[in-house]
Amino acid sequence: MSLAHVDPEIAELIKAEERRQADTVKLIPSENYVSKAVLEATGTVLTNKYSEGYAGKRYYEGQQVIDQIETLAIERAKALFGVRHANVQPYSGSPANLAIYMAFASPGDTVMGMGLPFGGHLTHGWSVSATGKWFNPVRYGVRRDTGRIDMDEVRDLAREHRPKLIFCGGTAIPRTIDFPAFAEIAREVGAVLAADIAHIAGLVAGGAHPSPVGHADVISTTTHKTLRGPRGAMLMADSDEHATALNKAVFPGLQGGPHNHTTAAIAVALKEAAAPEFSAYAHQVVANAKALADELLARGFDLVSGGTDNHLILIDLTSKGVAGKPAAQALDRAGLETNYNTVPFDPRKPFDPSGLRIGTPSVTSRGMGEAEMRQIAAWMDEVVTAVAKGDAEDVITRVHAEVSALTGKYPTPGLTA
Ligand SMILES: Cc1ncc(COP(=O)(O)O)c(C=O)c1O
């Protein structure tokens, strides 16, 4: 029986979310629209199967098909990123990162990562995360004058604290990550270097951001952001020793049975990402982010680091006289979906910060280009300026109508395309 028949309530809510996603200009940089093929693979009978272990060495029978699916996903990941080993089983980015800790550090060990308020992820040793509670985290940030990572600070901290593990990469970094510089520091202090490319994996795959391969010892990534796959994650490494440690940490260290429907969808996404169109997509994501950033700058917005090299823009709204949360809420009502975010050295609290984090992966998947980015910047300016004046209702209503006219022209991958 169909979903609509069995559970009309949930079926209708899913339809409502489909409409919301189609009608919105989705600017959240960690989100995307997966293809129909990826969606189709996730909704399959593969969800019925248990397969603890790895291909050829499972703890359940009946793996004739699952082994082939997982092996295909692994081979495609290896080919796409140019690595010798890949593990496609982590349930998501956070468990993937936990597996890195489990593989290369013990509770109480010193680890190093970018502080959350500067753009690092929770799992890079932030205090409320298990990684900050169970390890001894040392945190680096960005320079106050440039908004960019201070590699001298990273080197000094690493020399002083000699961490077992160093994380580079993050969740709100608008600039290119200097993998060779991190690798040199990690080598000097004898640390394992983990590159968390969750945000930029699609850009790396498409050749629009330098690759950490050949520099980082291990690489973690989610599969659902710029890579445009299902919610999931992968771990990659070149050395047999690192790969064995990661495999053991994922299973049996942290997880039980892999989510085989997700593995199949990851395989599909990796096939899509190997096509020439995907490289064009990745470069357009960056071109769109630059166009959006330039127009925001021209309209007096203050951008952390002064712009972007990738898919992501971090706006400090202080100069506009509005905090991030009311701005994000007003923009959402106007059909422009963003997320409020701390900015480096933010004097405000994390739940009511000064910034907005936006990005171009989703709008680029819909086929929008630089002209649409300039229009989006203009709408953002109108709404934020109106919120600052305390009289935004009419502007929100008008912009929402204009946004709907635009989204109506761009099909939503997976839904209307
Ligand atoms: C850099 C980075 N690493 C890890 C994660 C965690 O991924 P998940 O939300 O799938 O656990 C995120 C999620 O935003 C991220 O941005």
Side-chain angles (χ1 to χ4, degrees), residues 30 91-97 119-124 167-173 196-200 220-225 231-233 357:
S30 49
Y91 298 143
S92 214
S94 303
N97 284 349
H121 189 253
L122 282 163
T123 54
H124 298 174
F167 267 88
C168 61
T171 196
I173 304 176
D196 180 346
I197 61 166
H199 261 261
I200 55 170
S220 82
T221 184
T222 54
T223 45
H224 47 270
K225 299 187 172 89
R231 298 199 87 86
R357 192 182 69 142

